[in-house]
Structure formats: C-alpha cells, structure tokens
C-alpha cells in the first residue's frame, strides 16, 4: 500500500488524505516537502530554529485544514503559500519585536558585506563565507522581492507557480524578480565577479 | 530598453547561478517524529506562535505597577492639601450672607458717601468715565438688620456694590428707562464693578446695532421655515390618520 502511495502524485496523495484520512499519504507529502519548505523559509528568514517551527506549523496547518485545499490548484503552490504566509508573519513579528526592544541585536544590520575592507578577498573566496554573504545580502533585499527571487532562483519554481503562490500577476512577478536580482547584484558585486 | 539599462543581460543570470548554487537546507532529522508526536498529542499550538508580546510579560509590568502604587500612596499619605478655594465655585461673602439671612431681616444698602444715591445710579457717561479714570474713593456698603426683638443693627458689607453701574431690570423692561439708560449706558443690577461701561451696553453689545436688521431677517426666515415644516408635519400626520381611518 505504502509503495503504491509513494508512486502517487502530490494531488493524488492529498486527495487520498482528504477522502480517507490516510495518515501515510500525509506523511509522504510531509517527507516530500519538508526540505524544500525548510530551504525556502531559511533563505527568507535566515534563522534555522524559526524555520523548523514554521515548517512544522505549515504541516500542522496542512493537517488541520486539508479540506481547504481545492483540487484545481497544485499542491506545491498551496503548501508554499501557507509557508510563505507564516514566514511573512514571523518577519512582521520580528519587526514589531525589534521596535519594542530596547536593544536591537539584529545581525542583518551589523554585518556590512559591501565593505571590502572588513572581509578580505582571500576570506571571501572561502565557500562558507561566500554563502553566508549571499544569504546576508538576500536578507537585505526587500521581502516582497526576496520571496519571488527565492522561489524562482533557489526553489526553481516557474513564473506561473510563483504567481499562484504570491497571488500576483506574472508580469508583477517578473518585474519583482528583476528588481530583487538587481538589488542583490549591487550588494554582491565583489563576490561573484572573480 | 537595452540602451537605458546599463546592466548586461547575463548579469542576472550570474545572480541566478549564484543563488541556485547555495547549499540546500534540510529539515532536522527528528522533524517528522516531532510533527507526528504533536499531531498525535493534539498539541497543535507551537510555543513560538503563542503571543510573546514583551509589553505584557510580568516583569515588564513591574515598573508600571510600582509607579501606580507610588501614586496611590501619595494620595493616601498626603490627602488634599490644596486650601485655595475655587472662586468660581464659591459665593461672594456678601451674597452668601444675604442668602443665608433669616426672612425677617431687611436688607438695605446705605452709602456712606454724601450725596443722592439715585443721582449716582443715574450718572451719565461723563461721570462714569471720570470714575473710571480717577481712583474712585472707597465706597462702604452697609446692611441694616432688623432683629426679631426690634433691635436695629448695621453691618458693614465687605462686598461693595457700585450703584452708579446698576440699572433696575424691571423698570428697564417696563419702559421706564433711567437717565443713565437714556444716555446709552447701563448695566444690570449687581453685574459687577469690574466691567467697563464700554464693554456692555444693556442687552446688546455696542456695534451690534447695525447687525439688527440682518439678524431680524434671519430670524424671520428661520421662523418661516419652522412654520412650513410644522405644517408639513401636521399634513403628514393628518394623512396618516386618514389612512388609518380608511
């Protein structure tokens, strides 16, 4: 039975879960999407613990509101929408917290990746540091642009899927991706042009 | 379009390549176990999503509570020490005494100043202006009290009334205008001594006389509108009644 389920498409699995409350189908979907969602939320928020919680919450929401999924939509876009909304809520919560907090210990602002004097070219050649710098640059991009850039360039989703997830027109998605990339390009000039 | 954008087209491709080359972040190993445990236990609420508003954490409320307690203690330890009276809320002593006096006492005002009092009351503009300009001599006001044992006593009133600034309202309304009123000046009885004659001219402020026709016209139009509306309402009521009767 399980082998058969693993061969099913996402939409078929959720149908199975909706109709027969098959936990195995739910578990397969969780297995399929936990890592992509983790990657997406991590690139969006830059905090692993928060991302784990968000993905867990996404899966819980999926479990509790399975009937709100309509078969005409793609399962991947539906689950990405849930995760994206939770990630955006977390971002808002953080902003509120940083306003209320007397001591703003936001790492994003303290690291100046554009300043080449701080990080030498030798160090920037190191892969881990490079990745860290790219991640930090990504976190500096406006959230509306960041989301679409991540979905497109990191998650590899199509423009149509991104438009469905973000509830935007394809044109808007394209322009936002373009703007996001331009912002990133300005910040990462010294890194990838070697 | 290309000319306006100085960035080469492949610059974005480079960014895309860099981003797609980032290492994939995977969920922790115990992710599924934790998730299924939560589902089985019905613990759907994540601790992270519980309201963590720092404003309402108990330790943050301590300073506010301490401040409130201090204010309450201040009120308890130092009760109202403000002895200053609100002059607007208290009667002038002379009036308060007059109000509290027994009914069989008679109040008279006698001016210790020589001369006819009515003359003073009916003084014209000129004299009033003189009084205003000069420092007016202190005018003493007395109250004659006839006690139940027919003994007559004279009490000095601390509050001074300036009769030259007063006018009898009844006679004024009755058409018997005093010479002072004729002269275009006059104030209500006991309307106070501090008011300048120039400031108040009977019931109409000086300078408003010209506005009278305009005000009258406005009043007439309001009255006309009111009577029209009243008629309408009456008609509507009648129509309703007729309908009901039918």
């Amino acid at each position: 039975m399980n082998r058969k389920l693993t061969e099913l498409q996402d939409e078929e699995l959720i149908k199975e879960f909706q109709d027969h409350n098959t936990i195995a189908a739910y578990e397969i979907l969780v297995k399929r999407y936990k890592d992509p969602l983790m990657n997406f939320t991590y690139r969006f928020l830059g905090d692993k613990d928060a991302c784990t919680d968000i993905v867990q919450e996404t899966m819980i929401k999926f479990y509790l509101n399975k009937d709100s999924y309509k078969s005409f939509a793609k399962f991947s876009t539906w689950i990405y929408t849930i995760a994206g909304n939770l990630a955006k809520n977390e971002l808002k919560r953080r902003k509120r917290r940083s306003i209320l907090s007397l001591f703003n210990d936001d790492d994003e602002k303290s690291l100046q990746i554009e300043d080449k004097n701080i990080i030498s070219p030798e160090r920037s050649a190191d892969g881990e540091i490079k990745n860290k710098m790219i991640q930090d640059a990504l976190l500096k991009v406006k959230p509306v642009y960041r989301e679409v850039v991540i979905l497109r360039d990191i998650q590899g989703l199509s423009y149509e899927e991104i438009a469905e997830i973000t509830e935007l027109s394809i044109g808007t998605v394209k322009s936002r991706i373009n703007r996001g990339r331009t912002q990133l390009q300005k910040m990462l000039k010294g890194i990838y042009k070697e | 379009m290309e000319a306006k954008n100085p960035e080469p087209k492949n610059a974005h491709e480079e960014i895309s390549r860099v981003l797609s080359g980032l290492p994939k972040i995977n969920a922790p190993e115990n992710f599924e176990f934790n998730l299924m445990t939560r589902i089985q236990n019905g613990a759907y609420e994540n601790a992270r999503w519980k309201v963590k508003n720092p404003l309402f954490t108990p330790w943050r409320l301590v300073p506010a509570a301490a401040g409130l307690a201090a204010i309450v203690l201040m009120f308890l330890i130092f009760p109202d020490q403000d002895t200053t009276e609100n002059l607007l809320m208290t009667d002038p002593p002379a009036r308060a005494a007059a109000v509290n006096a027994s009914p069989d006492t008679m109040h008279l005002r006698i001016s210790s100043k020589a001369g006819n009092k009515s003359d003073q009351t009916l003084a014209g503009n000129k004299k009033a202006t003189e009084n205003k300009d000069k420092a007016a001599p202190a005018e003493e006001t007395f109250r004659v009290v006839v006690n139940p044992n027919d003994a007559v006593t004279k009490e000095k009133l601390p509050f001074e009334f300036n009769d030259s600034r007063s006018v009898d309202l009844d006679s004024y309304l009755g058409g018997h205008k005093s010479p002072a009123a004729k002269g275009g000046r006059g104030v209500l009885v006991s309307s106070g001594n501090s008011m300048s004659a120039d400031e108040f001219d009977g019931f109409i402020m000086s300078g408003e006389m010209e506005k009278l026709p305009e005000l009258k016209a406005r009043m007439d139009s309001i009255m006309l509108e009111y009577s029209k509306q009243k008629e309408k309402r009456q008609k509507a009521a009648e129509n309703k009644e007729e309908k009901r009767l039918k």
Side-chain angles (χ1 to χ4, degrees):
Chain A
M1 180 72 183
N2 261 0
R3 191 171 284 174
K4 273 185 185 175
L5 281 174
T6 50
E7 288 162 8
L8 292 178
Q9 296 286 312
D10 297 344
E11 288 72 27
E12 289 168 323
L13 281 170
I14 191 167
K15 184 91 174 62
E16 177 67 25
F17 181 47
Q18 280 177 330
D19 294 346
H20 307 107
N21 205 23
T22 314
I23 293 292
Y26 171 75
E27 283 178 335
I28 291 166
L29 284 169
V30 169
K31 253 183 203 162
R32 281 186 192 173
Y33 282 92
K34 62 175 183 170
D35 289 337
L37 291 180
M38 190 72 192
N39 197 41
F40 165 57
T41 49
Y42 176 75
R43 294 300 170 199
F44 190 73
L45 290 172
D47 178 354
K48 251 186 184 176
D49 290 337
C51 295
T52 310
D53 286 343
I54 285 168
V55 179
Q56 284 246 344
E57 195 62 23
T58 306
M59 295 307 180
I60 296 272
K61 277 193 184 289
F62 159 38
Y63 179 83
L64 294 174
N65 308 299
K66 61 177 188 286
D67 295 323
S68 67
Y69 168 77
K70 304 291 172 210
S71 55
F72 56 78
K74 268 187 90 175
F75 175 77
S76 61
T77 58
W78 184 67
I79 200 101
Y80 266 108
T81 308
I82 297 171
N85 288 339
L86 288 170
K88 279 179 239 172
N89 287 347
E90 175 65 15
L91 209 64
K92 279 180 198 167
R93 200 177 294 122
R94 282 179 181 195
K95 269 186 188 170
R96 245 180 280 137
R97 226 178 290 155
S98 69
I99 289 165
L100 289 168
S101 166
L102 288 172
F103 306 102
N104 190 355
D105 52 356
D106 202 340
D107 290 336
E108 293 172 32
K109 286 169 188 170
S110 59
L111 196 99
Q112 297 175 358
I113 59 151
E114 284 161 294
D115 194 345
K116 287 173 192 171
N117 298 324
I118 292 172
I119 299 164
S120 64
E122 290 83 14
R123 281 188 68 201
S124 70
D126 185 43
E128 264 184 43
I129 290 171
K130 210 172 176 181
N131 290 339
K132 172 90 173 74
M133 288 162 82
I134 295 164
Q135 175 63 36
D136 288 334
L138 201 54
L139 291 174
K140 283 189 176 182
V141 174
K142 274 189 174 182
V144 282
Y145 303 144
R146 195 194 310 162
E147 187 188 13
V148 288
V149 167
I150 293 167
L151 288 171
R152 177 69 188 159
D153 290 337
I154 298 174
Q155 301 301 113
L157 299 184
S158 67
Y159 289 120
E160 288 76 14
E161 283 172 323
I162 298 167
E164 208 174 308
I165 291 164
T166 53
E167 293 174 354
L168 296 167
S169 67
I170 292 175
T172 312
V173 168
K174 281 181 180 175
S175 86
R176 283 191 182 183
I177 289 171
N178 206 42
R179 286 182 186 197
R181 282 173 180 167
T182 310
Q183 283 189 10
L184 268 175
Q185 196 187 344
K186 278 180 191 168
M187 286 187 265
L188 299 171
K189 246 178 194 172
I191 293 172
Y192 68 84
K193 279 187 179 174
E194 287 174 343
Chain B
M1 188 71 187
E2 285 292 321
K4 277 183 187 175
N5 192 0
E7 305 292 345
K9 205 181 174 183
N10 62 355
H12 283 174
E13 282 169 17
E14 187 66 26
I15 278 284
S16 296
R17 192 187 57 76
V18 165
L19 290 174
S20 60
L22 283 171
K24 301 288 174 199
I25 304 295
N26 293 330
E29 281 180 12
N30 58 353
F31 179 87
E32 280 168 85
F33 174 77
N34 289 344
L35 177 69
M36 295 320 287
T37 311
R38 273 179 71 187
I39 288 170
Q40 277 170 7
N41 295 338
Y44 301 127
E45 203 178 345
N46 192 321
R48 177 175 284 275
W49 310 102
K50 283 178 188 170
V51 179
K52 279 197 229 170
N53 194 339
L55 266 182
F56 300 107
T57 49
W59 66 270
R60 278 189 189 248
L61 291 174
V62 168
L68 191 70
I71 291 166
V72 170
L73 277 173
M74 286 271 279
F75 275 103
L76 288 174
I77 294 166
F78 309 108
D80 191 17
Q81 290 185 336
D82 189 13
T83 49
T84 54
E85 287 179 54
N86 185 352
L87 295 173
L88 292 170
M89 298 301 288
T90 51
D91 280 338
R95 287 169 198 228
V99 169
N100 294 332
S102 58
D104 55 350
T105 55
M106 189 172 69
H107 302 274
L108 289 172
R109 280 181 292 157
I110 300 167
S111 173
S112 65
K113 238 179 141 187
N116 194 344
K117 191 187 292 179
S118 60
D119 286 347
Q120 283 180 13
T121 310
L122 305 175
N125 277 339
K126 199 175 174 185
K127 197 170 181 182
T129 319
E130 279 172 14
N131 284 344
K132 208 167 84 176
D133 294 338
K134 292 176 193 171
E139 194 181 28
E140 287 178 354
T141 309
F142 294 91
R143 179 171 65 183
V144 175
V145 182
V146 181
N147 293 315
N149 58 358
D150 290 334
V152 177
T153 55
K154 199 168 92 173
E155 292 173 3
K156 188 186 170 189
L157 287 176
F159 187 77
E160 294 169 359
F161 291 101
N162 187 353
D163 290 331
S164 66
R165 299 287 319 281
S166 302
V167 67
D168 186 354
L169 184 60
D170 289 335
S171 60
Y172 189 92
L173 292 172
H176 309 292
K177 289 184 180 176
S178 65
K182 277 176 195 168
R185 288 174 47 85
V187 286
L188 293 178
V189 172
S190 306
S191 61
N193 297 334
S194 61
M195 189 180 280
S196 150
D198 298 326
E199 287 169 5
F200 186 69
D201 188 15
F203 292 103
I204 301 160
M205 298 299 287
S206 61
E208 283 192 349
M209 285 297 286
E210 296 81 17
K211 292 180 187 171
L212 261 180
E214 191 193 328
L215 288 169
K216 194 173 179 298
R218 200 185 296 172
M219 193 96 161
D220 288 343
S221 70
I222 290 165
M223 289 300 287
L224 195 69
E225 189 59 37
Y226 174 73
S227 60
K228 276 180 188 175
Q229 285 189 357
K230 200 176 175 184
E231 273 180 21
K232 270 186 186 175
R233 261 179 272 149
Q234 275 179 348
K235 275 183 186 176
E238 280 169 11
N239 288 340
K240 259 191 184 177
E241 249 184 84
E242 275 178 19
K243 279 181 185 175
R244 206 189 301 160
L245 287 170
K246 279 177 188 176

